[in-house]
Amino acid sequence: MTLLTVSGEPWADYGLLDSGHGRKLERYGRFRFVRPEPQAMWAPAAPDWQADGRFVPGSDEEGGGRWDLDRAVPAGGWPLGWEGLRFQAQNTPFRHLGFFPDMMPMWSWARTHTRPGDQALNLFGYTGVGSLALAGAGAAVSHVDASKKSVDQARANAALSGLADKPIRWLVDDAAKFAAREVRREKRYHGIILDPPKFGRGPTGETWRLEEHLAPLLADCARLLADDAQFLMLTVYAVRLSALALGELLSQMLREHGGRIEAGELGVREEARGLTLPTAIFARWSR
């Protein structure tokens, strides 16, 4: 197993401008926002931040809160672009803006391991940027998320990217139950993306707790990999786990597949000083 750090770089429509004192200042297109960030324990580069709004977290387990906006921001969102894809950014009640910018290097990696005609599975697919990256590389994608609203937004993002006619199955379903059914159907995939939350609920009230349910889900995903599968990618946010633990778990689950295991920290490079702000941990397997 190889341990490494994967750092997302700024691009035209997104950048981590500054960070410190438990917060981060980011640009999303023409707007700037301040969000909480416990990992930013250092002092910020600038003493004062000019922003269009800031997120005030709540105290519930599902991570809710509210936005305090100083300037008018489109309630329906605004379009951003990344490497030929288009998608909507929006101030959500869960502190993020409709996609996860630190995932961009991971999606790029998955795309390089995708061949035209491959079958790909995106569990906890959210608003679909990862699914669109794979579909743009020629894969037939099964996109699974428990939230109908998120799946509807993913469909809209596909249309915005000009990928509405690509072979993408949009599925509102509990990820773990869907994977288990696919095992029984003897379905096989060439690439799998998992981006599970720490805590979540399925479409009929199923409860997801990462520490309890991740290992059984990974076991099912191992069974879903085709003989010529190319990758499996797992990212985890906001948990008291180590990347080493994730890597060892993946190594155990995928021992029979051979290949290469990498694990480490995922972060974003700050524009102000070039430091890397850690955001998540990951483990990934490739042929």
Side-chain angles (χ1 to χ4, degrees), residues 87 96 98-100 103 107 120-134 141-155 157-158 168-176 178 192-197 217 233 235:
F87 46 90
H96 50 77
F99 73 105
F100 300 101
M103 285 292 294
W107 290 329
L121 174 61
N122 189 3
L123 296 173
F124 311 96
Y126 192 44
T127 58
V129 183
S131 295
L132 300 183
L134 298 182
V141 183
S142 297
H143 172 104
V144 183
D145 197 278
S147 166
K148 183 179 184 301
K149 182 177 180 180
S150 293
V151 173
D152 288 345
Q153 184 61 59
R155 284 179 175 269
N157 285 337
I168 306 175
R169 291 197 298 165
W170 303 108
L171 303 162
V172 179
D173 206 339
D174 177 82
F178 176 82
I192 300 177
I193 293 177
L194 299 101
D195 188 19
L217 175 57
M233 184 182 86
T235 51

Side-chain angles (χ1 to χ4, degrees), residues 161-200:
S161 292
L163 298 174
D165 61 342
K166 294 295 183 181
I168 306 175
R169 291 197 298 165
W170 303 108
L171 303 162
V172 179
D173 206 339
D174 177 82
K177 289 185 175 180
F178 176 82
R181 288 198 304 273
E182 291 288 83
V183 170
R184 293 194 294 271
R185 295 169 184 144
E186 298 185 349
K187 178 72 174 179
R188 296 294 181 265
Y189 292 92
H190 301 98
I192 300 177
I193 293 177
L194 299 101
D195 188 19
K198 177 181 179 181
F199 175 85

Side-chain angles (χ1 to χ4, degrees), residues 98-279:
F99 73 105
F100 300 101
D102 52 325
M103 285 292 294
M104 298 310 188
M106 299 293 282
W107 290 329
S108 291
W109 177 87
R111 191 157 56 178
T112 65
H113 289 81
T114 299
R115 305 161 300 191
D118 276 357
Q119 295 288 324
L121 174 61
N122 189 3
L123 296 173
F124 311 96
Y126 192 44
T127 58
V129 183
S131 295
L132 300 183
L134 298 182
V141 183
S142 297
H143 172 104
V144 183
D145 197 278
S147 166
K148 183 179 184 301
K149 182 177 180 180
S150 293
V151 173
D152 288 345
Q153 184 61 59
R155 284 179 175 269
N157 285 337
L160 195 62
S161 292
L163 298 174
D165 61 342
K166 294 295 183 181
I168 306 175
R169 291 197 298 165
W170 303 108
L171 303 162
V172 179
D173 206 339
D174 177 82
K177 289 185 175 180
F178 176 82
R181 288 198 304 273
E182 291 288 83
V183 170
R184 293 194 294 271
R185 295 169 184 144
E186 298 185 349
K187 178 72 174 179
R188 296 294 181 265
Y189 292 92
H190 301 98
I192 300 177
I193 293 177
L194 299 101
D195 188 19
K198 177 181 179 181
F199 175 85
R201 296 191 186 278
T204 57
E206 302 93 336
T207 299
W208 165 270
R209 296 185 187 277
L210 187 133
E211 291 84 354
E212 297 176 29
H213 300 127
L214 178 59
L217 175 57
L218 274 177
D220 281 339
C221 287
R223 299 182 185 102
L224 291 175
L225 289 174
D227 290 341
D228 61 340
Q230 297 299 299
F231 77 90
L232 184 148
M233 184 182 86
L234 166 66
T235 51
V236 174
Y237 289 77
V239 295
R240 294 178 180 175
L241 295 176
S242 76
L244 184 59
L246 283 189
E248 295 294 0
L249 176 61
L250 211 59
S251 294
Q252 182 184 86
M253 295 295 181
L254 302 182
R255 183 177 296 120
E256 295 181 359
H257 289 271
R260 179 184 185 187
I261 298 288
E262 298 173 315
E265 298 229 13
L266 186 62
V268 180
R269 186 172 66 82
E270 182 194 274
E271 293 184 5
R273 294 163 291 190
L275 60 78
T276 296
L277 174 68
T279 58

Side-chain angles (χ1 to χ4, degrees), residues 10 15-19 25 42-46 49 269-275:
L16 172 63
L17 299 172
D18 198 359
S19 63
L25 173 66
W42 44 79
W49 290 349
R269 186 172 66 82
E270 182 194 274
E271 293 184 5
R273 294 163 291 190
L275 60 78

